[in-house]
Amino acid sequence: MTEIYWFQQDLRLRDNPGLLAHCRAEPLLLVYFWPANRPWCNLTGMGGQRQRFLAESLQSLHAELAALGQKLLVLQGPPEVGLAALVRQTRASLVGTSRSPGYYERHCLRRVAAALPVALKVHPGNTLFTRHDLPFELEQLPVQFTPFKDKVLGLPVAEPLPAPARLPAPPPFEFQPLPAAAVRASAALPIRGGAPAGQRRLRQWTQAGLADYKQTRNCLDGLDGSSTLSPWLALGCLSAREVVAAVQAHEQVQGESESSRWLVYELLWREFFHWRARRDDISLFRVGGAKGKARLSTFDPRNFARWCQGDTNFPLVNALMRQLLETGWMSNRGRQIAASCLVNELGVDWRYGAAFFEKHLIDYDVASNYGNWQYIAGVGADPRGGRHFNLEKQAQQFDGDGQFTRKWGGVRPRQPDFAVDAADWPLPPEMS
């Protein structure tokens, strides 16, 4: 009987339990739906570099599937409409997919299940642990990271599953050409989408970069010190369990170190945000988060536009935003600095910044992106109630010689300091 497997954030063959569960079907139709804009689509959508990385990842997956006699069908439109039509056309008996965190993702699965005339089988997503592995119910998930880490750090991480040695053939179907990338990778960050590229980076970095990671992880330029694995993790070209296995293999030869432990901690941060997104649901997008305690903010379109384009009075922030626009990437340290500027210096609602990052980041992940923005704004997991970075101190500490700021043209013409409201009336001094 024909089955359909719907790829989402699992664009890989290795360690893909959902795909493996459907490998006994005959025939098997493999499909992916190009992401639709969220409701605030004028701001989000996808920037050029994010589109490029996704298109390359799909093309890479298609090539890997072709080597096993399979094909990938990429469609536009709502999955609930497209999958129901495919079931009718192929007379499929089952549809499978993997779970992704997020309120809209959850409702998409509900709409798909309601529209299908057959069962929808949802498999675990790209996490280190399943929900049944966690030593607490999801409703009792620790609010902050440290108690979460303490509870899960000793849990065993399952070995990655091998890629399928064979795949069933696809049903007779008219497969359309895959989307092509409209832009090229930036020379400043020449990384390509797809599982093979992610595997190469993982091997290269564990051999040459992991030993010093604790000291280099705050480098602002990609590939200089960061692992830069997040783009492949976000699309599921790499699984989180594959990265842990590579770290463990490194430790067997080189021994456990502060650097190797730090990378595992960062994977646990990713894990924490995944389960927070599952628990918080729609609160992940609310101005006050799950706490419901919104901070005072505004929306000055000029300040927001200057931040987006890298034309503020903060040279390091400008450089970071210009790096994001050209490459689709920004270091974790850079994201904290840029977010603090928007929230604290410019007083803009944090959700506008999160949506702008969603548009451009090649490693966009709904749980990590919105979870980290809530952390900076003080409405999420931060025990201090928010982070306000001293931008001059950050520049001295992480770009002391100004090389990064010069490279990305961070010094811009000075903008007016006075603040005005939406009608261009100056605000009182105590509010400006």
Side-chain angles (χ1 to χ4, degrees), residues 5 8-10 12 15-18 97-101 122-131 233 236 238-241 270-271 274-275 278:
Y5 187 73
Q8 294 198 77
Q9 276 74 51
D10 59 338
R12 63 186 185 279
D15 197 34
N16 191 330
T97 192
S98 64
R99 189 180 301 278
S100 299
V122 182
H123 302 275
N126 187 9
T127 55
L128 296 176
F129 313 112
T130 69
R131 183 168 178 173
L233 282 167
L238 284 176
S239 80
R241 299 192 303 190
R270 177 183 179 275
E271 191 82 4
H274 173 98
W275 297 110
R278 290 274 299 272

Side-chain angles (χ1 to χ4, degrees), residues 220-382:
L220 299 179
D221 259 325
L223 304 179
D224 283 352
S226 167
S227 70
T228 327
L229 296 172
S230 55
W232 294 287
L233 282 167
L235 289 181
C237 301
L238 284 176
S239 80
R241 299 192 303 190
E242 287 180 287
V243 178
V244 167
V247 172
Q248 291 173 343
H250 168 89
E251 290 177 336
Q252 289 177 359
V253 177
Q254 302 292 335
E256 184 180 349
S257 67
E258 196 174 17
S259 289
S260 64
R261 287 193 298 272
W262 197 269
L263 181 67
V264 173
Y265 292 161
E266 292 185 348
L267 288 172
L268 291 178
W269 264 108
R270 177 183 179 275
E271 191 82 4
F272 172 67
F273 280 133
H274 173 98
W275 297 110
R276 273 293 301 253
R278 290 274 299 272
R279 193 198 70 174
D280 291 353
D281 203 47
I282 189 63
S283 295
L284 187 65
F285 304 103
R286 288 178 173 153
V287 66
K291 298 178 179 179
K293 295 182 179 179
R295 59 183 293 158
L296 292 177
S297 62
T298 185
F299 181 69
D300 181 340
R302 286 163 295 191
N303 275 340
F304 181 61
R306 291 165 182 165
W307 179 84
C308 291
Q309 298 302 317
D311 278 323
T312 72
N313 292 329
F314 307 100
L316 179 57
V317 174
N318 295 340
L320 290 165
M321 298 304 294
R322 289 168 179 269
Q323 177 194 39
L324 172 64
L325 291 172
E326 180 171 327
T327 69
W329 189 86
M330 190 189 295
S331 69
N332 183 64
R333 172 62 58 173
R335 297 178 203 200
Q336 293 178 320
I337 294 170
S340 178
C341 176
L342 184 72
V343 170
N344 297 300
E345 261 54 59
L346 303 180
V348 174
D349 184 331
W350 65 268
R351 295 174 297 176
Y352 288 98
F356 189 78
F357 275 20
E358 175 179 348
K359 181 180 182 71
H360 290 286
L361 285 171
I362 60 175
D363 64 355
Y364 169 71
D365 168 271
V366 61
S368 295
N369 181 60
Y370 282 86
N372 273 307
W373 273 93
Q374 285 193 344
Y375 186 91
I376 294 295
V379 298
D382 182 25

Side-chain angles (χ1 to χ4, degrees), residues 35-325:
N37 287 343
R38 294 192 185 273
W40 43 92
C41 57
N42 288 337
L43 183 58
T44 57
M46 282 198 290
Q49 288 297 335
R50 185 181 167 199
Q51 288 190 45
R52 170 195 65 81
F53 196 82
L54 173 56
E56 290 175 352
S57 298
L58 293 172
Q59 292 161 1
S60 177
L61 177 61
H62 182 74
E64 289 190 277
L65 292 171
L68 296 177
Q70 256 289 355
K71 297 180 179 180
L72 180 65
L73 178 65
V74 178
L75 298 176
Q76 303 277 351
E80 61 269 26
V81 176
L83 286 169
L86 290 175
V87 167
R88 291 192 296 268
Q89 292 174 46
T90 62
R91 298 182 180 179
S93 60
L94 182 66
V95 176
T97 192
S98 64
R99 189 180 301 278
S100 299
Y103 171 82
Y104 294 99
E105 290 76 6
R106 179 174 66 82
H107 276 268
C108 181
L109 287 181
R110 289 182 61 183
R111 291 193 302 270
V112 168
L116 289 178
V118 298
L120 174 66
K121 176 67 174 177
V122 182
H123 302 275
N126 187 9
T127 55
L128 296 176
F129 313 112
T130 69
R131 183 168 178 173
H132 299 296
D133 293 330
L134 298 177
F136 41 76
E137 295 298 324
L138 192 57
E139 294 73 19
Q140 278 73 52
L141 176 79
V143 175
Q144 294 159 4
F145 171 70
T146 299
F148 171 83
K149 171 179 68 67
D150 293 342
K151 289 178 180 293
V152 304
L153 190 56
L155 296 179
V157 176
E159 288 289 326
L161 300 170
R166 62 170 296 277
L167 287 172
F173 206 86
E174 184 177 348
F175 287 83
Q176 302 297 323
L178 269 64
V183 300
R184 295 182 178 181
S186 169
L189 191 71
I191 64 173
R192 309 301 294 269
Q199 292 288 345
R200 285 194 299 272
R201 175 59 181 171
L202 180 59
R203 289 193 299 270
Q204 172 198 33
W205 185 74
T206 51
Q207 293 169 5
L210 178 55
D212 301 319
Y213 180 60
K214 183 66 161 55
Q215 292 72 44
T216 64
R217 63 188 178 85
N218 281 316
C219 289
L220 299 179
D221 259 325
L223 304 179
D224 283 352
S226 167
S227 70
T228 327
L229 296 172
S230 55
W232 294 287
L233 282 167
L235 289 181
C237 301
L238 284 176
S239 80
R241 299 192 303 190
E242 287 180 287
V243 178
V244 167
V247 172
Q248 291 173 343
H250 168 89
E251 290 177 336
Q252 289 177 359
V253 177
Q254 302 292 335
E256 184 180 349
S257 67
E258 196 174 17
S259 289
S260 64
R261 287 193 298 272
W262 197 269
L263 181 67
V264 173
Y265 292 161
E266 292 185 348
L267 288 172
L268 291 178
W269 264 108
R270 177 183 179 275
E271 191 82 4
F272 172 67
F273 280 133
H274 173 98
W275 297 110
R276 273 293 301 253
R278 290 274 299 272
R279 193 198 70 174
D280 291 353
D281 203 47
I282 189 63
S283 295
L284 187 65
F285 304 103
R286 288 178 173 153
V287 66
K291 298 178 179 179
K293 295 182 179 179
R295 59 183 293 158
L296 292 177
S297 62
T298 185
F299 181 69
D300 181 340
R302 286 163 295 191
N303 275 340
F304 181 61
R306 291 165 182 165
W307 179 84
C308 291
Q309 298 302 317
D311 278 323
T312 72
N313 292 329
F314 307 100
L316 179 57
V317 174
N318 295 340
L320 290 165
M321 298 304 294
R322 289 168 179 269
Q323 177 194 39
L324 172 64
L325 291 172

